[in-house]
Amino acid sequence: MQSLSNISYSPLPFTLYNERRRFPSLKSPPGPSTHASSCLLRSTANSSFLPRFDPLSNWKEKMMRKKPRGFGTVCYSMPLTPRSLQWISTVSTAVLMLARGTAIQKSFLVPLFVLQAPLSIISWIKGEYGIWFAFLALLVRLFFYIPGELELPFIALLLVIVAPFQAMNLRGTQAGVILSLVIAGYLAFQHFSRTGSLKNAFDQGSIVATLAIICISIVPCLLLI
Protein backbone atom coordinates (compact mmCIF):
# COMPACT_ATOMS: atom_id res chain seq x y z
CA MET A 1 0.00 0.00 0.00
CA GLN A 2 2.84 2.33 0.78
CA SER A 3 4.31 1.83 -2.66
CA LEU A 4 0.98 2.70 -4.17
CA SER A 5 0.59 5.83 -2.08
CA ASN A 6 3.98 7.11 -3.09
CA ILE A 7 3.06 6.94 -6.77
CA SER A 8 2.19 10.43 -8.03
CA TYR A 9 0.58 11.18 -11.36
CA SER A 10 2.31 14.01 -13.08
CA PRO A 11 0.06 16.14 -15.30
CA LEU A 12 2.98 17.10 -17.56
CA PRO A 13 2.37 14.70 -20.40
CA PHE A 14 -1.27 15.67 -20.60
CA THR A 15 -0.35 19.34 -20.52
CA LEU A 16 2.17 18.98 -23.31
CA TYR A 17 -0.32 17.09 -25.33
CA ASN A 18 -2.91 19.84 -24.92
CA GLU A 19 -0.38 22.52 -25.73
CA ARG A 20 0.57 20.70 -28.87
CA ARG A 21 -3.04 20.54 -29.91
CA ARG A 22 -3.63 24.20 -29.16
CA PHE A 23 -0.36 25.50 -30.67
CA PRO A 24 0.84 23.19 -33.42
CA SER A 25 4.51 23.31 -34.17
CA LEU A 26 5.71 25.49 -37.05
CA LYS A 27 7.84 22.66 -38.28
CA SER A 28 4.82 20.53 -39.04
CA PRO A 29 3.95 20.31 -42.77
CA PRO A 30 1.28 22.83 -43.65
CA GLY A 31 -2.05 21.58 -44.85
CA PRO A 32 -4.01 22.99 -47.75
CA SER A 33 -5.61 25.77 -45.72
CA THR A 34 -2.30 26.82 -44.21
CA HIS A 35 -0.64 26.95 -47.65
CA ALA A 36 -3.44 29.13 -49.10
CA SER A 37 -3.31 31.54 -46.17
CA SER A 38 0.47 31.87 -46.46
CA CYS A 39 0.19 32.63 -50.20
CA LEU A 40 -2.45 35.26 -49.45
CA LEU A 41 -0.24 36.87 -46.83
CA ARG A 42 2.73 36.93 -49.21
CA SER A 43 0.69 38.48 -52.00
CA THR A 44 -0.69 41.18 -49.71
CA ALA A 45 2.76 41.85 -48.32
CA ASN A 46 4.29 42.26 -51.76
CA SER A 47 1.34 44.19 -53.27
CA SER A 48 2.79 47.50 -52.19
CA PHE A 49 5.89 46.84 -54.26
CA LEU A 50 4.06 45.77 -57.46
CA PRO A 51 2.93 48.38 -60.04
CA ARG A 52 -0.78 49.03 -59.91
CA PHE A 53 -2.81 48.50 -63.12
CA ASP A 54 -4.64 51.60 -64.30
CA PRO A 55 -7.36 50.83 -66.89
CA LEU A 56 -7.20 54.38 -68.19
CA SER A 57 -3.43 54.42 -68.67
CA ASN A 58 -3.59 53.27 -72.32
CA TRP A 59 -6.28 55.84 -73.08
CA LYS A 60 -4.26 58.62 -71.45
CA GLU A 61 -1.15 57.69 -73.43
CA LYS A 62 -3.10 57.73 -76.72
CA MET A 63 -4.60 61.13 -75.93
CA MET A 64 -1.18 62.53 -75.05
CA ARG A 65 0.23 61.25 -78.33
CA LYS A 66 -2.64 62.77 -80.33
CA LYS A 67 -2.32 66.12 -78.60
CA PRO A 68 -0.58 68.54 -80.97
CA ARG A 69 2.62 70.08 -79.70
CA GLY A 70 3.25 73.74 -80.26
CA PHE A 71 1.14 76.20 -82.16
CA GLY A 72 2.09 75.27 -85.73
CA THR A 73 -0.58 75.53 -88.40
CA VAL A 74 -1.67 72.42 -90.26
CA CYS A 75 -2.09 72.98 -94.00
CA TYR A 76 -3.95 70.70 -96.36
CA SER A 77 -3.58 71.15 -100.06
CA MET A 78 -6.22 69.64 -102.28
CA PRO A 79 -4.80 68.28 -105.55
CA LEU A 80 -6.03 70.04 -108.69
CA THR A 81 -7.41 67.34 -110.93
CA PRO A 82 -8.20 67.96 -114.63
CA ARG A 83 -11.91 67.83 -113.82
CA SER A 84 -11.64 70.53 -111.14
CA LEU A 85 -9.60 72.69 -113.54
CA GLN A 86 -12.31 72.30 -116.17
CA TRP A 87 -14.93 73.43 -113.67
CA ILE A 88 -12.84 76.49 -112.80
CA SER A 89 -12.52 77.38 -116.48
CA THR A 90 -16.24 76.85 -117.11
CA VAL A 91 -17.31 79.04 -114.20
CA SER A 92 -14.85 81.76 -115.24
CA THR A 93 -16.13 81.64 -118.83
CA ALA A 94 -19.73 81.97 -117.64
CA VAL A 95 -18.76 84.94 -115.46
CA LEU A 96 -17.07 86.61 -118.43
CA MET A 97 -20.18 86.10 -120.56
CA LEU A 98 -22.26 88.06 -118.05
CA ALA A 99 -19.64 90.56 -116.83
CA ARG A 100 -19.64 94.16 -118.05
CA GLY A 101 -16.27 95.41 -116.81
CA THR A 102 -14.36 94.24 -119.86
CA ALA A 103 -14.09 95.16 -123.53
CA ILE A 104 -13.11 91.76 -124.93
CA GLN A 105 -14.78 90.14 -127.92
CA LYS A 106 -17.07 87.77 -126.07
CA SER A 107 -17.88 85.56 -129.03
CA PHE A 108 -14.53 83.80 -128.45
CA LEU A 109 -15.87 82.57 -125.13
CA VAL A 110 -18.28 80.18 -126.87
CA PRO A 111 -15.63 77.81 -128.37
CA LEU A 112 -13.61 78.15 -125.17
CA PHE A 113 -16.63 76.93 -123.22
CA VAL A 114 -17.11 73.98 -125.56
CA LEU A 115 -13.46 72.94 -125.28
CA GLN A 116 -13.12 73.31 -121.50
CA ALA A 117 -16.56 72.29 -120.16
CA PRO A 118 -16.63 69.09 -118.06
CA LEU A 119 -18.01 65.93 -119.59
CA SER A 120 -21.05 65.96 -117.29
CA ILE A 121 -22.19 69.33 -118.68
CA ILE A 122 -21.64 68.24 -122.28
CA SER A 123 -23.58 65.02 -121.69
CA TRP A 124 -26.46 66.96 -120.12
CA ILE A 125 -26.62 69.40 -123.04
CA LYS A 126 -26.58 66.61 -125.61
CA GLY A 127 -29.22 64.68 -123.66
CA GLU A 128 -32.98 65.04 -123.71
CA TYR A 129 -33.14 67.82 -121.12
CA GLY A 130 -30.57 69.91 -122.97
CA ILE A 131 -32.43 69.58 -126.26
CA TRP A 132 -35.72 70.61 -124.65
CA PHE A 133 -34.03 73.56 -122.97
CA ALA A 134 -32.54 74.70 -126.30
CA PHE A 135 -35.93 74.31 -127.99
CA LEU A 136 -37.71 76.44 -125.41
CA ALA A 137 -34.94 79.06 -125.48
CA LEU A 138 -35.25 79.25 -129.27
CA LEU A 139 -39.00 79.80 -129.02
CA VAL A 140 -38.46 82.59 -126.50
CA ARG A 141 -35.81 84.14 -128.77
CA LEU A 142 -38.24 84.18 -131.70
CA PHE A 143 -40.94 86.18 -129.92
CA PHE A 144 -39.06 88.15 -127.27
CA TYR A 145 -35.92 90.22 -127.06
CA ILE A 146 -32.98 88.62 -125.25
CA PRO A 147 -30.06 90.80 -124.02
CA GLY A 148 -26.67 90.19 -125.53
CA GLU A 149 -25.28 88.75 -122.29
CA LEU A 150 -27.92 85.99 -122.36
CA GLU A 151 -27.50 85.23 -126.04
CA LEU A 152 -24.00 83.84 -125.59
CA PRO A 153 -25.05 80.96 -123.26
CA PHE A 154 -27.85 80.14 -125.69
CA ILE A 155 -25.41 80.08 -128.65
CA ALA A 156 -23.00 77.89 -126.65
CA LEU A 157 -25.88 75.50 -125.95
CA LEU A 158 -26.75 75.26 -129.64
CA LEU A 159 -23.10 74.86 -130.63
CA VAL A 160 -22.66 71.86 -128.35
CA ILE A 161 -25.83 70.23 -129.70
CA VAL A 162 -25.01 70.64 -133.40
CA ALA A 163 -21.22 70.14 -133.11
CA PRO A 164 -19.97 67.16 -135.19
CA PHE A 165 -18.25 64.21 -133.66
CA GLN A 166 -14.83 65.17 -135.05
CA ALA A 167 -14.99 68.62 -133.44
CA MET A 168 -15.96 67.23 -130.06
CA ASN A 169 -13.01 64.84 -130.19
CA LEU A 170 -10.70 67.80 -129.61
CA ARG A 171 -11.88 67.92 -126.02
CA GLY A 172 -9.36 66.50 -123.58
CA THR A 173 -6.56 66.32 -126.15
CA GLN A 174 -3.34 68.31 -126.27
CA ALA A 175 -4.50 70.09 -129.43
CA GLY A 176 -7.69 71.19 -127.70
CA VAL A 177 -5.76 72.49 -124.70
CA ILE A 178 -3.37 74.44 -126.94
CA LEU A 179 -6.33 75.94 -128.82
CA SER A 180 -7.90 76.95 -125.50
CA LEU A 181 -4.62 78.53 -124.42
CA VAL A 182 -4.46 80.57 -127.65
CA ILE A 183 -8.03 81.82 -127.17
CA ALA A 184 -7.45 82.66 -123.53
CA GLY A 185 -4.19 84.47 -124.33
CA TYR A 186 -5.90 86.55 -127.00
CA LEU A 187 -8.73 87.49 -124.63
CA ALA A 188 -6.22 88.40 -121.90
CA PHE A 189 -4.33 90.60 -124.34
CA GLN A 190 -7.57 92.37 -125.33
CA HIS A 191 -8.64 92.88 -121.73
CA PHE A 192 -5.39 94.29 -120.35
CA SER A 193 -4.66 96.41 -123.42
CA ARG A 194 -8.10 98.02 -123.53
CA THR A 195 -8.28 98.75 -119.80
CA GLY A 196 -5.30 101.08 -120.19
CA SER A 197 -3.13 99.90 -117.29
CA LEU A 198 -2.79 97.14 -114.78
CA LYS A 199 -4.16 99.37 -112.05
CA ASN A 200 -7.36 100.02 -114.01
CA ALA A 201 -7.78 96.28 -114.58
CA PHE A 202 -8.08 95.76 -110.82
CA ASP A 203 -10.52 98.60 -110.21
CA GLN A 204 -13.84 97.96 -108.57
CA GLY A 205 -15.73 97.82 -111.86
CA SER A 206 -13.49 95.34 -113.67
CA ILE A 207 -11.81 93.25 -110.98
CA VAL A 208 -14.28 90.35 -111.46
CA ALA A 209 -13.58 90.20 -115.19
CA THR A 210 -9.83 90.44 -114.55
CA LEU A 211 -9.87 87.51 -112.14
CA ALA A 212 -11.92 85.46 -114.60
CA ILE A 213 -9.44 86.27 -117.40
CA ILE A 214 -6.56 85.14 -115.19
CA CYS A 215 -8.34 81.88 -114.38
CA ILE A 216 -9.08 80.94 -117.99
CA SER A 217 -5.46 81.72 -118.87
CA ILE A 218 -3.91 79.65 -116.06
CA VAL A 219 -6.10 76.55 -116.48
CA PRO A 220 -4.76 75.54 -119.95
CA CYS A 221 -1.19 76.07 -118.73
CA LEU A 222 -1.81 73.70 -115.81
CA LEU A 223 -3.44 71.14 -118.10
CA LEU A 224 -0.35 71.13 -120.33
CA ILE A 225 1.98 70.37 -117.42
Side-chain angles (χ1 to χ4, degrees):
M1 294 298 290
Q2 187 177 1
S3 61
L4 293 174
S5 61
N6 294 331
I7 297 173
S8 61
Y9 296 93
S10 175
L12 181 60
F14 182 76
T15 307
L16 291 174
Y17 178 76
N18 290 338
E19 291 294 327
R20 285 186 178 180
R21 293 186 62 185
R22 289 175 58 189
F23 303 101
S25 175
L26 294 177
K27 296 182 180 179
S28 60
S33 59
T34 310
H35 180 67
S37 60
S38 63
C39 292
L40 181 61
L41 289 173
R42 290 177 183 175
S43 62
T44 52
N46 297 329
S47 61
S48 59
F49 299 99
L50 295 176
R52 295 185 179 180
F53 174 72
D54 188 4
L56 299 179
S57 60
N58 296 333
W59 179 78
K60 292 177 182 178
E61 291 179 0
K62 292 180 180 179
M63 293 300 295
M64 290 298 292
R65 291 176 182 175
K66 292 182 179 180
K67 186 177 179 181
R69 298 180 179 179
F71 299 93
T73 57
V74 179
C75 299
Y76 174 74
S77 58
M78 181 180 179
L80 291 176
T81 60
R83 186 177 180 182
S84 60
L85 292 175
Q86 288 178 350
W87 275 105
I88 293 172
S89 178
T90 303
V91 172
S92 302
T93 304
V95 169
L96 279 174
M97 287 181 181
L98 304 176
R100 295 185 178 182
T102 181
I104 61 174
Q105 192 174 354
K106 292 186 177 182
S107 58
F108 285 95
L109 294 173
V110 176
L112 183 64
F113 172 81
V114 177
L115 291 172
Q116 293 294 324
L119 183 60
S120 57
I121 295 179
I122 299 298
S123 301
W124 184 86
I125 293 174
K126 283 185 169 293
E128 184 178 358
Y129 294 104
I131 294 174
W132 272 103
F133 187 81
F135 173 72
L136 295 176
L138 183 59
L139 288 179
V140 172
R141 177 65 181 83
L142 288 174
F143 298 101
F144 299 96
Y145 171 74
I146 297 180
E149 292 81 7
L150 297 178
E151 279 189 357
L152 289 176
F154 173 64
I155 294 174
L157 190 68
L158 291 178
L159 185 62
V160 171
I161 293 174
V162 302
F165 182 74
Q166 292 79 6
M168 297 302 294
N169 280 342
L170 290 174
R171 291 174 35 81
T173 62
Q174 188 175 4
V177 175
I178 292 174
L179 184 58
S180 302
L181 182 59
V182 171
I183 296 173
Y186 177 69
L187 293 177
F189 172 75
Q190 281 188 339
H191 176 74
F192 287 105
S193 62
R194 294 180 181 180
T195 51
S197 63
L198 188 62
K199 182 180 179 181
N200 295 334
F202 287 94
D203 285 342
Q204 186 176 1
S206 57
I207 185 173
V208 176
T210 302
L211 294 177
I213 287 287
I214 293 174
C215 288
I216 65 172
S217 301
I218 292 177
V219 167
C221 296
L222 295 177
L223 291 175
L224 286 175
I225 297 176

PDB file of all heavy atoms in Angstrom, residues 1 8 11 69 75 96 107 130 134 140 144 152 157 159 169 194 208 212:
ATOM      1  N   MET A   1       0.828  -1.204   0.000  1.00  0.00           N
ATOM      2  CA  MET A   1       0.000   0.000   0.000  1.00  0.00           C
ATOM      3  C   MET A   1       0.855   1.243   0.000  1.00  0.00           C
ATOM      4  O   MET A   1       0.525   2.252  -0.558  1.00  0.00           O
ATOM      5  CB  MET A   1      -0.922  -0.001   1.225  1.00  0.00           C
ATOM      6  CG  MET A   1      -1.954  -1.091   1.205  1.00  0.00           C
ATOM      7  SD  MET A   1      -3.111  -0.988  -0.205  1.00  0.00           S
ATOM      8  CE  MET A   1      -3.966   0.455   0.332  1.00  0.00           C
ATOM      9  N   SER A   8       2.856   9.133  -7.717  1.00  0.00           N
ATOM     10  CA  SER A   8       2.189  10.427  -8.034  1.00  0.00           C
ATOM     11  C   SER A   8       2.010  10.526  -9.551  1.00  0.00           C
ATOM     12  O   SER A   8       2.885  10.157 -10.327  1.00  0.00           O
ATOM     13  CB  SER A   8       3.023  11.601  -7.518  1.00  0.00           C
ATOM     14  OG  SER A   8       4.295  11.592  -8.149  1.00  0.00           O
ATOM     15  N   PRO A  11       0.926  15.674 -14.192  1.00  0.00           N
ATOM     16  CA  PRO A  11       0.056  16.142 -15.298  1.00  0.00           C
ATOM     17  C   PRO A  11       0.822  16.685 -16.501  1.00  0.00           C
ATOM     18  O   PRO A  11       0.259  17.244 -17.413  1.00  0.00           O
ATOM     19  CB  PRO A  11      -0.741  17.267 -14.652  1.00  0.00           C
ATOM     20  CG  PRO A  11       0.167  17.813 -13.622  1.00  0.00           C
ATOM     21  CD  PRO A  11       0.997  16.656 -13.113  1.00  0.00           C
ATOM     22  N   ARG A  69       1.603  69.322 -80.452  1.00  0.00           N
ATOM     23  CA  ARG A  69       2.617  70.077 -79.703  1.00  0.00           C
ATOM     24  C   ARG A  69       2.912  71.375 -80.418  1.00  0.00           C
ATOM     25  O   ARG A  69       3.096  71.405 -81.627  1.00  0.00           O
ATOM     26  CB  ARG A  69       3.888  69.248 -79.583  1.00  0.00           C
ATOM     27  CG  ARG A  69       3.688  67.953 -78.810  1.00  0.00           C
ATOM     28  CD  ARG A  69       4.981  67.172 -78.715  1.00  0.00           C
ATOM     29  NE  ARG A  69       4.804  65.935 -77.954  1.00  0.00           N
ATOM     30  CZ  ARG A  69       5.775  65.067 -77.735  1.00  0.00           C
ATOM     31  NH1 ARG A  69       7.003  65.313 -78.213  1.00  0.00           N
ATOM     32  NH2 ARG A  69       5.539  63.970 -77.040  1.00  0.00           N
ATOM     33  N   CYS A  75      -1.617  72.600 -92.681  1.00  0.00           N
ATOM     34  CA  CYS A  75      -2.095  72.983 -94.004  1.00  0.00           C
ATOM     35  C   CYS A  75      -2.438  71.727 -94.790  1.00  0.00           C
ATOM     36  O   CYS A  75      -1.721  70.731 -94.729  1.00  0.00           O
ATOM     37  CB  CYS A  75      -1.033  73.795 -94.753  1.00  0.00           C
ATOM     38  SG  CYS A  75      -0.603  75.336 -93.897  1.00  0.00           S
ATOM     39  N   LEU A  96     -17.466  85.664-117.394  1.00  0.00           N
ATOM     40  CA  LEU A  96     -17.069  86.615-118.433  1.00  0.00           C
ATOM     41  C   LEU A  96     -18.200  86.884-119.420  1.00  0.00           C
ATOM     42  O   LEU A  96     -18.308  87.983-119.979  1.00  0.00           O
ATOM     43  CB  LEU A  96     -15.840  86.096-119.179  1.00  0.00           C
ATOM     44  CG  LEU A  96     -14.495  86.317-118.506  1.00  0.00           C
ATOM     45  CD1 LEU A  96     -13.390  85.628-119.292  1.00  0.00           C
ATOM     46  CD2 LEU A  96     -14.191  87.798-118.365  1.00  0.00           C
ATOM     47  N   SER A 107     -17.532  86.712-128.187  1.00  0.00           N
ATOM     48  CA  SER A 107     -17.877  85.560-129.030  1.00  0.00           C
ATOM     49  C   SER A 107     -16.812  84.457-128.961  1.00  0.00           C
ATOM     50  O   SER A 107     -17.113  83.282-129.205  1.00  0.00           O
ATOM     51  CB  SER A 107     -18.064  86.017-130.482  1.00  0.00           C
ATOM     52  OG  SER A 107     -16.887  86.646-130.961  1.00  0.00           O
ATOM     53  N   GLY A 130     -31.243  68.824-122.268  1.00  0.00           N
ATOM     54  CA  GLY A 130     -30.568  69.909-122.967  1.00  0.00           C
ATOM     55  C   GLY A 130     -31.260  70.291-124.274  1.00  0.00           C
ATOM     56  O   GLY A 130     -31.349  71.475-124.618  1.00  0.00           O
ATOM     57  N   ALA A 134     -32.905  73.934-125.102  1.00  0.00           N
ATOM     58  CA  ALA A 134     -32.544  74.704-126.297  1.00  0.00           C
ATOM     59  C   ALA A 134     -33.776  75.017-127.138  1.00  0.00           C
ATOM     60  O   ALA A 134     -33.899  76.118-127.712  1.00  0.00           O
ATOM     61  CB  ALA A 134     -31.521  73.932-127.116  1.00  0.00           C
ATOM     62  N   VAL A 140     -38.457  81.294-127.184  1.00  0.00           N
ATOM     63  CA  VAL A 140     -38.456  82.593-126.500  1.00  0.00           C
ATOM     64  C   VAL A 140     -37.695  83.623-127.321  1.00  0.00           C
ATOM     65  O   VAL A 140     -38.103  84.790-127.425  1.00  0.00           O
ATOM     66  CB  VAL A 140     -37.843  82.429-125.083  1.00  0.00           C
ATOM     67  CG1 VAL A 140     -37.647  83.782-124.428  1.00  0.00           C
ATOM     68  CG2 VAL A 140     -38.721  81.551-124.212  1.00  0.00           C
ATOM     69  N   PHE A 144     -39.449  87.158-128.264  1.00  0.00           N
ATOM     70  CA  PHE A 144     -39.064  88.147-127.266  1.00  0.00           C
ATOM     71  C   PHE A 144     -37.617  88.547-127.492  1.00  0.00           C
ATOM     72  O   PHE A 144     -36.836  87.835-128.129  1.00  0.00           O
ATOM     73  CB  PHE A 144     -39.238  87.608-125.834  1.00  0.00           C
ATOM     74  CG  PHE A 144     -40.653  87.238-125.503  1.00  0.00           C
ATOM     75  CD1 PHE A 144     -41.083  85.914-125.617  1.00  0.00           C
ATOM     76  CD2 PHE A 144     -41.554  88.202-125.100  1.00  0.00           C
ATOM     77  CE1 PHE A 144     -42.375  85.568-125.307  1.00  0.00           C
ATOM     78  CE2 PHE A 144     -42.859  87.863-124.793  1.00  0.00           C
ATOM     79  CZ  PHE A 144     -43.278  86.535-124.896  1.00  0.00           C
ATOM     80  N   LEU A 152     -25.195  84.667-125.511  1.00  0.00           N
ATOM     81  CA  LEU A 152     -23.996  83.842-125.591  1.00  0.00           C
ATOM     82  C   LEU A 152     -24.183  82.453-124.959  1.00  0.00           C
ATOM     83  O   LEU A 152     -23.781  81.453-125.565  1.00  0.00           O
ATOM     84  CB  LEU A 152     -22.823  84.573-124.944  1.00  0.00           C
ATOM     85  CG  LEU A 152     -22.280  85.777-125.725  1.00  0.00           C
ATOM     86  CD1 LEU A 152     -21.186  86.467-124.929  1.00  0.00           C
ATOM     87  CD2 LEU A 152     -21.757  85.335-127.078  1.00  0.00           C
ATOM     88  N   LEU A 157     -25.025  76.691-126.060  1.00  0.00           N
ATOM     89  CA  LEU A 157     -25.878  75.504-125.950  1.00  0.00           C
ATOM     90  C   LEU A 157     -26.155  74.899-127.321  1.00  0.00           C
ATOM     91  O   LEU A 157     -26.044  73.678-127.518  1.00  0.00           O
ATOM     92  CB  LEU A 157     -27.177  75.886-125.246  1.00  0.00           C
ATOM     93  CG  LEU A 157     -28.115  74.754-124.823  1.00  0.00           C
ATOM     94  CD1 LEU A 157     -27.490  73.945-123.703  1.00  0.00           C
ATOM     95  CD2 LEU A 157     -29.452  75.328-124.383  1.00  0.00           C
ATOM     96  N   LEU A 159     -24.346  75.323-130.023  1.00  0.00           N
ATOM     97  CA  LEU A 159     -23.097  74.860-130.628  1.00  0.00           C
ATOM     98  C   LEU A 159     -22.723  73.464-130.142  1.00  0.00           C
ATOM     99  O   LEU A 159     -22.235  72.635-130.925  1.00  0.00           O
ATOM    100  CB  LEU A 159     -21.979  75.853-130.321  1.00  0.00           C
ATOM    101  CG  LEU A 159     -20.624  75.579-130.988  1.00  0.00           C
ATOM    102  CD1 LEU A 159     -20.754  75.646-132.504  1.00  0.00           C
ATOM    103  CD2 LEU A 159     -19.586  76.573-130.500  1.00  0.00           C
ATOM    104  N   ASN A 169     -14.164  65.671-130.560  1.00  0.00           N
ATOM    105  CA  ASN A 169     -13.014  64.841-130.187  1.00  0.00           C
ATOM    106  C   ASN A 169     -11.796  65.660-129.770  1.00  0.00           C
ATOM    107  O   ASN A 169     -10.845  65.115-129.206  1.00  0.00           O
ATOM    108  CB  ASN A 169     -12.629  63.922-131.347  1.00  0.00           C
ATOM    109  CG  ASN A 169     -13.528  62.697-131.429  1.00  0.00           C
ATOM    110  OD1 ASN A 169     -14.207  62.351-130.466  1.00  0.00           O
ATOM    111  ND2 ASN A 169     -13.539  62.056-132.583  1.00  0.00           N
ATOM    112  N   ARG A 194      -7.000  97.075-123.430  1.00  0.00           N
ATOM    113  CA  ARG A 194      -8.099  98.024-123.533  1.00  0.00           C
ATOM    114  C   ARG A 194      -8.470  98.670-122.204  1.00  0.00           C
ATOM    115  O   ARG A 194      -9.159  99.702-122.200  1.00  0.00           O
ATOM    116  CB  ARG A 194      -9.323  97.329-124.134  1.00  0.00           C
ATOM    117  CG  ARG A 194      -9.111  96.902-125.582  1.00  0.00           C
ATOM    118  CD  ARG A 194     -10.325  96.216-126.151  1.00  0.00           C
ATOM    119  NE  ARG A 194     -10.074  95.804-127.543  1.00  0.00           N
ATOM    120  CZ  ARG A 194     -10.950  95.181-128.309  1.00  0.00           C
ATOM    121  NH1 ARG A 194     -12.161  94.881-127.829  1.00  0.00           N
ATOM    122  NH2 ARG A 194     -10.631  94.840-129.547  1.00  0.00           N
ATOM    123  N   VAL A 208     -13.693  91.685-111.261  1.00  0.00           N
ATOM    124  CA  VAL A 208     -14.283  90.353-111.458  1.00  0.00           C
ATOM    125  C   VAL A 208     -13.881  89.796-112.819  1.00  0.00           C
ATOM    126  O   VAL A 208     -13.485  88.634-112.958  1.00  0.00           O
ATOM    127  CB  VAL A 208     -15.807  90.423-111.294  1.00  0.00           C
ATOM    128  CG1 VAL A 208     -16.439  89.059-111.594  1.00  0.00           C
ATOM    129  CG2 VAL A 208     -16.177  90.872-109.892  1.00  0.00           C
ATOM    130  N   ALA A 212     -11.440  86.521-113.702  1.00  0.00           N
ATOM    131  CA  ALA A 212     -11.919  85.463-114.595  1.00  0.00           C
ATOM    132  C   ALA A 212     -10.962  85.264-115.772  1.00  0.00           C
ATOM    133  O   ALA A 212     -10.701  84.126-116.198  1.00  0.00           O
ATOM    134  CB  ALA A 212     -13.316  85.792-115.090  1.00  0.00           C
TER     135      ALA A 212
END
